[in-house]
Amino acid sequence: MTQYFVKKDFNPTFENGSIPKLLYICNVDPTHTSLPRTMHMHNDLMEIIYIKEGNGSHLIGERQYKTLKGDILIYNEGVLHDEYGNPDTNMSVFCLGITNVKLPWLPKNHLVSKESSYVLRSGKDASMIESLLEMMYSQISEEKGGAEEICSYLLRALLTHILQIPQEYHVLSKSEESLLSNSIKAYIDEHYLEEISLNSLSETLHISSYYLAHVFKESTGFSPIQYIIRRRIGEAQSLLINTNESVTNIAGIVGYDNTSYFTTLFSKTVGMSPKKYRQLWIKSEK
């Protein structure tokens, strides 16, 4: 038998002894992951996704990832992301919403820097990560006494364990086309709820519409108009899941005066109508 002694003193991982708070945990099955969850971000929390089975495609920040079983996806606060599970592989995931995460070297609710990969390969740590998530989900879903306190400890263990996983770093391109694409993206992200066309974009940014569309598609995989639609539909999905606003009101909020046209775009993008999408999420939460 080998006996190991624990160090009496250690430096806390989280700044000033702050305690991360679990807001929600979801065990998401293929019924939901087979539907695109288009571009959206969280302004007051961060999310962690753990892929239990299957694979998918995820746009996080500036980068597109082909994601696999065992991957850990980090959605920092304020970072745009677009999710699509491969329906042929029946992707299932754990999803956690967390706030009050403060590491000394990063902004609030950030677990990795923008220079790091937003996708971590769990590798040999997969079973440990999944066990922690299973325990947290069991405590919350079964409403056990003391579940919140237990999950507080488990969450800190999970985050600290994730920070032990080696991170990949990316050298962000500073080419003229990369900078231009980022400028286009930043403008659309700020004005996507307004009336925007390819011509108005080219006039505002003083560049030919052909070159603008070419540069943007090379960088993001979407045309500017497709990107605007996915931003709007992503916002609509969030409103359908998290509010009681009517479909008509949501259409207006995300920039569509014609509810029928909005419903057509939503159905084409997501694979079902806004009403059915809401019913699917409400049913899954019961």
Side-chain angles (χ1 to χ4, degrees):
M1 182 186 79
T2 303
Q3 180 169 298
Y4 296 94
F5 291 91
V6 177
K7 296 179 180 178
K8 291 183 178 179
D9 298 317
F10 66 94
N11 294 320
T13 299
F14 303 101
E15 191 173 84
N16 299 323
S18 62
I19 300 176
K21 181 178 180 182
L22 179 68
L23 299 175
Y24 54 82
I25 181 168
C26 310
N27 191 356
V28 190
D29 63 28
T31 304
H32 295 81
T33 60
S34 63
L35 302 174
R37 180 66 172 97
T38 62
M39 295 175 189
H40 62 290
M41 65 176 69
H42 308 286
N43 293 319
D44 54 358
L45 58 94
M46 65 167 292
E47 281 189 337
I48 292 176
I49 307 293
Y50 175 79
I51 301 181
K52 297 193 295 177
E53 296 290 343
N55 58 63
S57 177
H58 292 78
L59 175 68
I60 313 175
E62 308 292 335
R63 296 186 291 275
Q64 187 83 33
Y65 299 90
K66 296 298 182 183
T67 48
L68 306 169
K69 177 180 178 179
D71 282 354
I72 303 164
L73 285 57
I74 310 296
Y75 300 156
N76 289 336
E77 178 179 310
V79 172
L80 193 68
H81 47 283
D82 188 285
E83 309 163 289
Y84 181 75
N86 183 345
D88 295 330
T89 62
N90 292 322
M91 189 171 81
S92 60
V93 308
F94 276 118
C95 173
L96 283 75
I98 311 162
T99 193
N100 202 38
V101 177
K102 186 65 185 79
L103 300 173
W105 59 93
L106 290 174
K108 184 180 179 184
N109 293 329
H110 280 54
L111 204 61
V112 296
S113 71
K114 64 180 181 180
E115 291 81 19
S116 302
S117 174
Y118 290 117
V119 175
L120 306 178
R121 310 293 188 194
S122 62
K124 62 181 178 58
D125 298 300
S127 60
M128 177 67 74
I129 298 292
E130 192 159 344
S131 292
L132 287 168
L133 290 164
E134 290 280 7
M135 285 189 285
M136 293 168 68
Y137 184 75
S138 172
Q139 289 289 323
I140 296 299
S141 63
E142 296 175 21
E143 300 181 346
K144 295 181 179 180
E148 293 79 6
E149 184 175 7
I150 289 173
C151 284
S152 178
Y153 293 122
L154 291 173
L155 178 60
R156 276 175 277 176
L158 175 70
L159 296 179
T160 306
H161 200 84
I162 289 174
L163 290 170
Q164 293 177 340
I165 297 173
Q167 297 183 15
E168 296 180 12
Y169 289 86
H170 298 273
V171 178
L172 299 179
S173 172
K174 298 297 182 183
S175 69
E176 183 178 335
E177 288 193 350
S178 174
L179 293 172
L180 175 58
S181 178
N182 288 343
S183 296
I184 299 167
K185 182 176 177 296
Y187 182 85
I188 294 176
D189 287 341
E190 184 176 351
H191 299 280
Y192 72 96
L193 295 177
E194 303 170 14
E195 197 66 40
I196 302 178
S197 67
L198 188 57
N199 286 336
S200 68
L201 268 175
S202 64
E203 289 174 6
T204 300
L205 298 172
H206 308 292
I207 182 174
S208 78
S209 57
Y210 174 81
Y211 186 57
L212 184 152
H214 168 74
V215 168
F216 193 77
K217 180 112 185 234
E218 281 290 308
S219 174
T220 65
F222 301 106
S223 72
I225 301 307
Q226 287 174 326
Y227 186 89
I228 291 166
I229 291 172
R230 292 184 78 83
R231 287 289 276 120
R232 289 179 171 186
I233 297 302
E235 182 66 21
Q237 286 177 292
S238 296
L239 292 169
L240 287 164
I241 294 169
N242 299 314
T243 76
N244 293 319
E245 292 281 355
S246 69
V247 172
T248 299
N249 286 347
I250 289 173
I253 290 170
V254 301
Y256 297 107
D257 295 330
N258 186 320
T259 305
S260 177
Y261 180 60
F262 163 72
T263 299
T264 299
L265 279 179
F266 188 99
S267 300
K268 184 177 179 181
T269 303
V270 178
M272 63 176 59
S273 70
K275 183 178 179 180
K276 287 185 177 179
Y277 184 78
R278 171 176 271 168
Q279 289 172 342
L280 179 69
W281 278 94
I282 291 173
K283 181 180 178 181
S284 70
E285 291 172 359
K286 288 182 179 179

Short mmCIF file of all heavy atoms in Angstrom, two decimals, residues 120-177:
data_model
loop_
_atom_site.label_atom_id
_atom_site.label_comp_id
_atom_site.label_asym_id
_atom_site.label_seq_id
_atom_site.Cartn_x
_atom_site.Cartn_y
_atom_site.Cartn_z
N LEU A 120 -12.26 20.86 -26.02
CA LEU A 120 -11.22 20.08 -25.35
C LEU A 120 -11.51 18.60 -25.53
O LEU A 120 -12.67 18.17 -25.45
CB LEU A 120 -11.18 20.41 -23.85
CG LEU A 120 -11.03 21.89 -23.46
CD1 LEU A 120 -11.05 22.03 -21.94
CD2 LEU A 120 -9.76 22.48 -24.03
N ARG A 121 -10.49 17.82 -25.78
CA ARG A 121 -10.63 16.37 -25.90
C ARG A 121 -10.44 15.75 -24.53
O ARG A 121 -9.38 15.88 -23.93
CB ARG A 121 -9.58 15.81 -26.86
CG ARG A 121 -9.48 16.54 -28.21
CD ARG A 121 -10.71 16.37 -29.05
NE ARG A 121 -10.51 16.92 -30.40
CZ ARG A 121 -11.48 17.15 -31.27
NH1 ARG A 121 -12.73 16.86 -30.95
NH2 ARG A 121 -11.22 17.64 -32.47
N SER A 122 -11.47 15.10 -24.00
CA SER A 122 -11.39 14.58 -22.63
C SER A 122 -10.46 13.38 -22.51
O SER A 122 -9.85 13.16 -21.46
CB SER A 122 -12.78 14.23 -22.10
OG SER A 122 -13.36 13.20 -22.88
N GLY A 123 -10.35 12.58 -23.58
CA GLY A 123 -9.42 11.46 -23.58
C GLY A 123 -9.59 10.54 -22.38
O GLY A 123 -10.69 10.07 -22.07
N LYS A 124 -8.49 10.28 -21.66
CA LYS A 124 -8.51 9.39 -20.50
C LYS A 124 -9.34 9.94 -19.35
O LYS A 124 -9.67 9.22 -18.41
CB LYS A 124 -7.08 9.13 -20.02
CG LYS A 124 -6.34 10.36 -19.55
CD LYS A 124 -4.93 10.02 -19.12
CE LYS A 124 -4.14 11.25 -18.69
NZ LYS A 124 -4.77 11.99 -17.58
N ASP A 125 -9.68 11.24 -19.40
CA ASP A 125 -10.48 11.85 -18.34
C ASP A 125 -11.98 11.73 -18.59
O ASP A 125 -12.79 12.20 -17.78
CB ASP A 125 -10.12 13.35 -18.21
CG ASP A 125 -8.67 13.57 -17.82
OD1 ASP A 125 -8.29 13.07 -16.75
OD2 ASP A 125 -7.93 14.22 -18.57
N ALA A 126 -12.37 11.11 -19.70
CA ALA A 126 -13.78 11.07 -20.09
C ALA A 126 -14.66 10.45 -19.01
O ALA A 126 -15.73 10.97 -18.67
CB ALA A 126 -13.94 10.32 -21.41
N SER A 127 -14.25 9.31 -18.46
CA SER A 127 -15.09 8.62 -17.48
C SER A 127 -15.27 9.46 -16.22
O SER A 127 -16.36 9.49 -15.63
CB SER A 127 -14.51 7.24 -17.14
OG SER A 127 -13.21 7.37 -16.59
N MET A 128 -14.21 10.15 -15.79
CA MET A 128 -14.30 11.01 -14.62
C MET A 128 -15.24 12.18 -14.87
O MET A 128 -16.11 12.50 -14.04
CB MET A 128 -12.91 11.53 -14.24
CG MET A 128 -12.90 12.50 -13.07
SD MET A 128 -13.36 11.70 -11.51
CE MET A 128 -11.86 10.76 -11.21
N ILE A 129 -15.10 12.82 -16.03
CA ILE A 129 -15.96 13.95 -16.38
C ILE A 129 -17.42 13.51 -16.44
O ILE A 129 -18.31 14.15 -15.87
CB ILE A 129 -15.55 14.54 -17.75
CG1 ILE A 129 -14.11 15.09 -17.71
CG2 ILE A 129 -16.53 15.61 -18.20
CD1 ILE A 129 -13.92 16.31 -16.86
N GLU A 130 -17.67 12.38 -17.10
CA GLU A 130 -19.05 11.91 -17.25
C GLU A 130 -19.64 11.49 -15.90
O GLU A 130 -20.83 11.72 -15.64
CB GLU A 130 -19.10 10.77 -18.25
CG GLU A 130 -20.52 10.44 -18.68
CD GLU A 130 -20.59 9.69 -20.00
OE1 GLU A 130 -19.59 9.68 -20.75
OE2 GLU A 130 -21.67 9.13 -20.27
N SER A 131 -18.84 10.91 -15.02
CA SER A 131 -19.33 10.52 -13.70
C SER A 131 -19.77 11.74 -12.88
O SER A 131 -20.81 11.72 -12.22
CB SER A 131 -18.25 9.75 -12.94
OG SER A 131 -17.99 8.51 -13.53
N LEU A 132 -18.98 12.80 -12.93
CA LEU A 132 -19.33 14.03 -12.22
C LEU A 132 -20.64 14.60 -12.76
O LEU A 132 -21.51 15.02 -11.99
CB LEU A 132 -18.21 15.06 -12.35
CG LEU A 132 -16.93 14.79 -11.55
CD1 LEU A 132 -15.80 15.70 -12.00
CD2 LEU A 132 -17.18 14.96 -10.05
N LEU A 133 -20.79 14.59 -14.08
CA LEU A 133 -22.02 15.10 -14.69
C LEU A 133 -23.22 14.23 -14.34
O LEU A 133 -24.31 14.75 -14.05
CB LEU A 133 -21.84 15.18 -16.20
CG LEU A 133 -20.87 16.26 -16.68
CD1 LEU A 133 -20.46 16.02 -18.14
CD2 LEU A 133 -21.49 17.65 -16.53
N GLU A 134 -23.04 12.92 -14.35
CA GLU A 134 -24.13 12.00 -13.99
C GLU A 134 -24.59 12.25 -12.55
O GLU A 134 -25.79 12.26 -12.26
CB GLU A 134 -23.67 10.55 -14.14
CG GLU A 134 -23.45 10.09 -15.58
CD GLU A 134 -24.75 9.73 -16.27
OE1 GLU A 134 -25.83 9.94 -15.69
OE2 GLU A 134 -24.67 9.24 -17.42
N MET A 135 -23.64 12.44 -11.63
CA MET A 135 -24.00 12.70 -10.24
C MET A 135 -24.75 14.01 -10.09
O MET A 135 -25.75 14.09 -9.37
CB MET A 135 -22.74 12.70 -9.37
CG MET A 135 -22.15 11.32 -9.11
SD MET A 135 -20.82 11.34 -7.87
CE MET A 135 -19.48 12.03 -8.82
N MET A 136 -24.30 15.04 -10.80
CA MET A 136 -24.98 16.33 -10.73
C MET A 136 -26.40 16.23 -11.28
O MET A 136 -27.36 16.73 -10.69
CB MET A 136 -24.18 17.39 -11.51
CG MET A 136 -22.83 17.71 -10.88
SD MET A 136 -21.75 18.69 -11.96
CE MET A 136 -22.63 20.23 -12.00
N TYR A 137 -26.53 15.57 -12.42
CA TYR A 137 -27.85 15.44 -13.04
C TYR A 137 -28.79 14.64 -12.15
O TYR A 137 -29.97 15.00 -11.99
CB TYR A 137 -27.73 14.77 -14.41
CG TYR A 137 -29.04 14.70 -15.15
CD1 TYR A 137 -29.59 15.83 -15.75
CD2 TYR A 137 -29.76 13.50 -15.21
CE1 TYR A 137 -30.80 15.77 -16.41
CE2 TYR A 137 -30.97 13.43 -15.87
CZ TYR A 137 -31.49 14.57 -16.47
OH TYR A 137 -32.70 14.50 -17.11
N SER A 138 -28.29 13.58 -11.54
CA SER A 138 -29.10 12.75 -10.64
C SER A 138 -29.60 13.57 -9.46
O SER A 138 -30.78 13.50 -9.08
CB SER A 138 -28.28 11.55 -10.16
OG SER A 138 -28.97 10.84 -9.15
N GLN A 139 -28.71 14.36 -8.86
CA GLN A 139 -29.09 15.17 -7.70
C GLN A 139 -30.20 16.17 -8.05
O GLN A 139 -31.18 16.31 -7.32
CB GLN A 139 -27.87 15.93 -7.18
CG GLN A 139 -26.83 15.07 -6.48
CD GLN A 139 -27.30 14.57 -5.14
OE1 GLN A 139 -27.99 15.26 -4.40
NE2 GLN A 139 -26.93 13.33 -4.82
N ILE A 140 -30.04 16.86 -9.18
CA ILE A 140 -31.00 17.91 -9.55
C ILE A 140 -32.31 17.32 -10.07
O ILE A 140 -33.40 17.74 -9.67
CB ILE A 140 -30.38 18.85 -10.60
CG1 ILE A 140 -29.17 19.59 -10.03
CG2 ILE A 140 -31.42 19.86 -11.10
CD1 ILE A 140 -29.46 20.46 -8.83
N SER A 141 -32.22 16.32 -10.96
CA SER A 141 -33.43 15.77 -11.57
C SER A 141 -34.31 15.04 -10.56
O SER A 141 -35.54 15.03 -10.67
CB SER A 141 -33.07 14.82 -12.71
OG SER A 141 -32.35 13.70 -12.24
N GLU A 142 -33.68 14.42 -9.54
CA GLU A 142 -34.45 13.69 -8.54
C GLU A 142 -34.80 14.56 -7.32
O GLU A 142 -35.40 14.07 -6.36
CB GLU A 142 -33.67 12.45 -8.09
CG GLU A 142 -33.45 11.45 -9.22
CD GLU A 142 -32.56 10.29 -8.82
OE1 GLU A 142 -32.45 10.02 -7.59
OE2 GLU A 142 -31.98 9.64 -9.70
N GLU A 143 -34.40 15.84 -7.38
CA GLU A 143 -34.73 16.82 -6.33
C GLU A 143 -34.38 16.31 -4.94
O GLU A 143 -35.17 16.39 -3.99
CB GLU A 143 -36.22 17.21 -6.41
CG GLU A 143 -36.60 17.83 -7.75
CD GLU A 143 -38.06 18.24 -7.80
OE1 GLU A 143 -38.84 17.81 -6.91
OE2 GLU A 143 -38.43 18.98 -8.72
N LYS A 144 -33.19 15.77 -4.82
CA LYS A 144 -32.75 15.23 -3.54
C LYS A 144 -32.43 16.35 -2.56
O LYS A 144 -32.03 17.44 -2.95
CB LYS A 144 -31.50 14.36 -3.75
CG LYS A 144 -31.76 13.11 -4.60
CD LYS A 144 -30.50 12.27 -4.76
CE LYS A 144 -30.78 11.02 -5.58
NZ LYS A 144 -29.57 10.18 -5.75
N GLY A 145 -32.64 16.08 -1.27
CA GLY A 145 -32.31 17.06 -0.25
C GLY A 145 -30.83 17.39 -0.27
O GLY A 145 -29.99 16.49 -0.31
N GLY A 146 -30.52 18.66 -0.25
CA GLY A 146 -29.11 19.07 -0.29
C GLY A 146 -28.50 19.02 -1.67
O GLY A 146 -27.27 19.16 -1.82
N ALA A 147 -29.34 18.85 -2.71
CA ALA A 147 -28.82 18.71 -4.07
C ALA A 147 -28.01 19.93 -4.50
O ALA A 147 -26.96 19.80 -5.14
CB ALA A 147 -29.97 18.48 -5.05
N GLU A 148 -28.49 21.12 -4.14
CA GLU A 148 -27.82 22.35 -4.57
C GLU A 148 -26.41 22.43 -3.98
O GLU A 148 -25.45 22.81 -4.66
CB GLU A 148 -28.64 23.58 -4.18
CG GLU A 148 -29.97 23.71 -4.91
CD GLU A 148 -31.06 22.81 -4.34
OE1 GLU A 148 -30.81 22.15 -3.30
OE2 GLU A 148 -32.15 22.75 -4.95
N GLU A 149 -26.28 22.07 -2.70
CA GLU A 149 -24.96 22.14 -2.06
C GLU A 149 -24.02 21.09 -2.63
O GLU A 149 -22.84 21.37 -2.91
CB GLU A 149 -25.09 21.96 -0.55
CG GLU A 149 -23.76 22.12 0.18
CD GLU A 149 -23.91 22.05 1.69
OE1 GLU A 149 -25.02 21.74 2.18
OE2 GLU A 149 -22.90 22.29 2.38
N ILE A 150 -24.53 19.88 -2.81
CA ILE A 150 -23.70 18.82 -3.39
C ILE A 150 -23.23 19.21 -4.78
O ILE A 150 -22.06 19.06 -5.14
CB ILE A 150 -24.48 17.49 -3.42
CG1 ILE A 150 -24.65 16.95 -2.00
CG2 ILE A 150 -23.77 16.46 -4.30
CD1 ILE A 150 -25.55 15.74 -1.91
N CYS A 151 -24.15 19.77 -5.59
CA CYS A 151 -23.79 20.16 -6.95
C CYS A 151 -22.80 21.32 -6.97
O CYS A 151 -22.00 21.44 -7.89
CB CYS A 151 -25.04 20.52 -7.76
SG CYS A 151 -25.97 19.06 -8.28
N SER A 152 -22.84 22.16 -5.94
CA SER A 152 -21.87 23.25 -5.84
C SER A 152 -20.46 22.69 -5.72
O SER A 152 -19.52 23.14 -6.38
CB SER A 152 -22.19 24.14 -4.64
OG SER A 152 -21.23 25.18 -4.52
N TYR A 153 -20.30 21.66 -4.87
CA TYR A 153 -18.98 21.03 -4.73
C TYR A 153 -18.59 20.26 -5.99
O TYR A 153 -17.45 20.33 -6.45
CB TYR A 153 -18.99 20.07 -3.53
CG TYR A 153 -19.14 20.75 -2.19
CD1 TYR A 153 -20.20 20.43 -1.34
CD2 TYR A 153 -18.24 21.72 -1.77
CE1 TYR A 153 -20.35 21.05 -0.12
CE2 TYR A 153 -18.38 22.34 -0.54
CZ TYR A 153 -19.44 22.01 0.28
OH TYR A 153 -19.58 22.62 1.50
N LEU A 154 -19.56 19.52 -6.56
CA LEU A 154 -19.28 18.76 -7.77
C LEU A 154 -18.91 19.67 -8.94
O LEU A 154 -18.03 19.33 -9.75
CB LEU A 154 -20.49 17.90 -8.14
CG LEU A 154 -20.82 16.74 -7.20
CD1 LEU A 154 -22.15 16.10 -7.60
CD2 LEU A 154 -19.71 15.69 -7.21
N LEU A 155 -19.57 20.82 -9.02
CA LEU A 155 -19.28 21.76 -10.11
C LEU A 155 -17.85 22.29 -10.01
O LEU A 155 -17.13 22.36 -11.02
CB LEU A 155 -20.27 22.92 -10.08
CG LEU A 155 -20.05 24.01 -11.13
CD1 LEU A 155 -20.14 23.44 -12.55
CD2 LEU A 155 -21.06 25.15 -10.95
N ARG A 156 -17.43 22.63 -8.80
CA ARG A 156 -16.05 23.11 -8.64
C ARG A 156 -15.05 22.00 -9.00
O ARG A 156 -14.01 22.26 -9.61
CB ARG A 156 -15.83 23.60 -7.21
CG ARG A 156 -16.29 25.05 -7.00
CD ARG A 156 -16.18 25.48 -5.55
NE ARG A 156 -17.35 25.06 -4.79
CZ ARG A 156 -17.49 25.23 -3.47
NH1 ARG A 156 -16.50 25.80 -2.80
NH2 ARG A 156 -18.59 24.86 -2.85
N ALA A 157 -15.37 20.77 -8.62
CA ALA A 157 -14.51 19.65 -8.99
C ALA A 157 -14.46 19.49 -10.51
O ALA A 157 -13.39 19.26 -11.09
CB ALA A 157 -15.00 18.37 -8.33
N LEU A 158 -15.61 19.61 -11.15
CA LEU A 158 -15.68 19.47 -12.61
C LEU A 158 -14.85 20.55 -13.30
O LEU A 158 -14.04 20.24 -14.18
CB LEU A 158 -17.14 19.56 -13.07
CG LEU A 158 -17.36 19.55 -14.59
CD1 LEU A 158 -17.04 18.18 -15.16
CD2 LEU A 158 -18.79 19.97 -14.93
N LEU A 159 -15.05 21.81 -12.92
CA LEU A 159 -14.34 22.91 -13.57
C LEU A 159 -12.84 22.80 -13.36
O LEU A 159 -12.04 23.01 -14.28
CB LEU A 159 -14.85 24.25 -13.04
CG LEU A 159 -16.33 24.58 -13.34
CD1 LEU A 159 -16.71 25.93 -12.73
CD2 LEU A 159 -16.59 24.59 -14.84
N THR A 160 -12.43 22.46 -12.13
CA THR A 160 -11.01 22.32 -11.84
C THR A 160 -10.41 21.17 -12.64
O THR A 160 -9.28 21.26 -13.14
CB THR A 160 -10.79 22.10 -10.33
OG1 THR A 160 -11.44 23.15 -9.60
CG2 THR A 160 -9.31 22.12 -9.99
N HIS A 161 -11.19 20.09 -12.78
CA HIS A 161 -10.71 18.95 -13.56
C HIS A 161 -10.56 19.33 -15.04
O HIS A 161 -9.58 18.95 -15.69
CB HIS A 161 -11.69 17.78 -13.42
CG HIS A 161 -11.09 16.46 -13.77
ND1 HIS A 161 -10.36 15.70 -12.87
CD2 HIS A 161 -11.09 15.76 -14.92
CE1 HIS A 161 -9.96 14.59 -13.45
NE2 HIS A 161 -10.38 14.61 -14.70
N ILE A 162 -11.53 20.07 -15.56
CA ILE A 162 -11.45 20.51 -16.96
C ILE A 162 -10.22 21.37 -17.19
O ILE A 162 -9.55 21.27 -18.22
CB ILE A 162 -12.74 21.27 -17.36
CG1 ILE A 162 -13.92 20.28 -17.46
CG2 ILE A 162 -12.55 22.01 -18.68
CD1 ILE A 162 -15.27 20.94 -17.70
N LEU A 163 -9.89 22.21 -16.21
CA LEU A 163 -8.72 23.08 -16.34
C LEU A 163 -7.40 22.29 -16.35
O LEU A 163 -6.36 22.82 -16.76
CB LEU A 163 -8.70 24.11 -15.21
CG LEU A 163 -9.77 25.20 -15.29
CD1 LEU A 163 -9.81 26.01 -14.00
CD2 LEU A 163 -9.52 26.11 -16.48
N GLN A 164 -7.43 21.04 -15.89
CA GLN A 164 -6.24 20.20 -15.94
C GLN A 164 -5.99 19.61 -17.33
O GLN A 164 -4.89 19.14 -17.61
CB GLN A 164 -6.35 19.06 -14.92
CG GLN A 164 -6.34 19.49 -13.47
CD GLN A 164 -6.52 18.32 -12.52
OE1 GLN A 164 -7.02 17.27 -12.90
NE2 GLN A 164 -6.12 18.50 -11.27
N ILE A 165 -7.01 19.64 -18.19
CA ILE A 165 -6.88 19.06 -19.52
C ILE A 165 -6.04 19.99 -20.39
O ILE A 165 -6.30 21.19 -20.46
CB ILE A 165 -8.27 18.84 -20.16
CG1 ILE A 165 -9.07 17.83 -19.33
CG2 ILE A 165 -8.14 18.36 -21.60
CD1 ILE A 165 -10.51 17.66 -19.77
N PRO A 166 -5.01 19.48 -21.06
CA PRO A 166 -4.16 20.33 -21.92
C PRO A 166 -4.99 21.04 -22.98
O PRO A 166 -5.89 20.47 -23.59
CB PRO A 166 -3.19 19.32 -22.56
CG PRO A 166 -3.18 18.15 -21.62
CD PRO A 166 -4.56 18.08 -21.04
N GLN A 167 -4.68 22.32 -23.19
CA GLN A 167 -5.40 23.14 -24.15
C GLN A 167 -4.56 23.36 -25.40
O GLN A 167 -3.35 23.48 -25.34
CB GLN A 167 -5.78 24.49 -23.54
CG GLN A 167 -6.73 24.38 -22.36
CD GLN A 167 -7.13 25.74 -21.82
OE1 GLN A 167 -6.95 26.77 -22.46
NE2 GLN A 167 -7.67 25.76 -20.61
N GLU A 168 -5.26 23.42 -26.54
CA GLU A 168 -4.61 23.78 -27.79
C GLU A 168 -4.74 25.28 -27.98
O GLU A 168 -5.77 25.87 -27.64
CB GLU A 168 -5.27 23.06 -28.97
CG GLU A 168 -5.13 21.55 -28.93
CD GLU A 168 -5.81 20.90 -30.12
OE1 GLU A 168 -6.18 21.63 -31.07
OE2 GLU A 168 -5.97 19.66 -30.10
N TYR A 169 -3.70 25.90 -28.53
CA TYR A 169 -3.72 27.33 -28.78
C TYR A 169 -3.69 27.60 -30.27
O TYR A 169 -3.02 26.90 -31.03
CB TYR A 169 -2.55 28.03 -28.08
CG TYR A 169 -2.71 28.06 -26.58
CD1 TYR A 169 -2.28 26.99 -25.79
CD2 TYR A 169 -3.32 29.13 -25.95
CE1 TYR A 169 -2.44 27.00 -24.41
CE2 TYR A 169 -3.50 29.14 -24.57
CZ TYR A 169 -3.06 28.08 -23.82
OH TYR A 169 -3.24 28.08 -22.45
N HIS A 170 -4.43 28.61 -30.69
CA HIS A 170 -4.50 28.96 -32.10
C HIS A 170 -3.86 30.33 -32.32
O HIS A 170 -4.06 31.25 -31.53
CB HIS A 170 -5.96 29.04 -32.57
CG HIS A 170 -6.70 27.74 -32.46
ND1 HIS A 170 -6.70 26.80 -33.46
CD2 HIS A 170 -7.46 27.21 -31.47
CE1 HIS A 170 -7.43 25.76 -33.09
NE2 HIS A 170 -7.90 25.98 -31.89
N VAL A 171 -3.10 30.42 -33.38
CA VAL A 171 -2.59 31.74 -33.79
C VAL A 171 -3.63 32.33 -34.72
O VAL A 171 -3.86 31.83 -35.83
CB VAL A 171 -1.24 31.61 -34.53
CG1 VAL A 171 -0.77 32.99 -34.99
CG2 VAL A 171 -0.21 30.97 -33.62
N LEU A 172 -4.32 33.37 -34.26
CA LEU A 172 -5.39 33.96 -35.04
C LEU A 172 -4.82 34.69 -36.26
O LEU A 172 -3.87 35.45 -36.16
CB LEU A 172 -6.20 34.94 -34.18
CG LEU A 172 -6.89 34.31 -32.96
CD1 LEU A 172 -7.63 35.38 -32.17
CD2 LEU A 172 -7.85 33.21 -33.38
N SER A 173 -5.42 34.44 -37.41
CA SER A 173 -4.95 35.06 -38.64
C SER A 173 -5.15 36.57 -38.60
O SER A 173 -6.18 37.06 -38.16
CB SER A 173 -5.71 34.47 -39.83
OG SER A 173 -5.41 35.16 -41.01
N LYS A 174 -4.16 37.29 -39.07
CA LYS A 174 -4.23 38.75 -39.13
C LYS A 174 -4.21 39.22 -40.58
O LYS A 174 -3.88 40.36 -40.86
CB LYS A 174 -3.06 39.37 -38.35
CG LYS A 174 -3.03 39.03 -36.87
CD LYS A 174 -4.25 39.57 -36.14
CE LYS A 174 -4.19 39.25 -34.65
NZ LYS A 174 -5.39 39.69 -33.92
N SER A 175 -4.53 38.32 -41.51
CA SER A 175 -4.52 38.70 -42.92
C SER A 175 -5.58 39.75 -43.19
O SER A 175 -6.52 39.95 -42.41
CB SER A 175 -4.78 37.48 -43.80
OG SER A 175 -6.12 37.04 -43.65
N GLU A 176 -5.43 40.44 -44.33
CA GLU A 176 -6.39 41.49 -44.70
C GLU A 176 -7.80 40.93 -44.81
O GLU A 176 -8.76 41.54 -44.34
CB GLU A 176 -5.95 42.12 -46.02
CG GLU A 176 -6.84 43.27 -46.46
CD GLU A 176 -6.36 43.92 -47.75
OE1 GLU A 176 -5.14 43.83 -48.03
OE2 GLU A 176 -7.19 44.51 -48.45
N GLU A 177 -7.92 39.73 -45.41
CA GLU A 177 -9.24 39.13 -45.58
C GLU A 177 -9.83 38.71 -44.23
O GLU A 177 -11.03 38.83 -44.00
CB GLU A 177 -9.17 37.93 -46.52
CG GLU A 177 -8.94 38.33 -47.97
CD GLU A 177 -9.18 37.18 -48.93
OE1 GLU A 177 -9.33 36.03 -48.46
OE2 GLU A 177 -9.23 37.43 -50.14
#
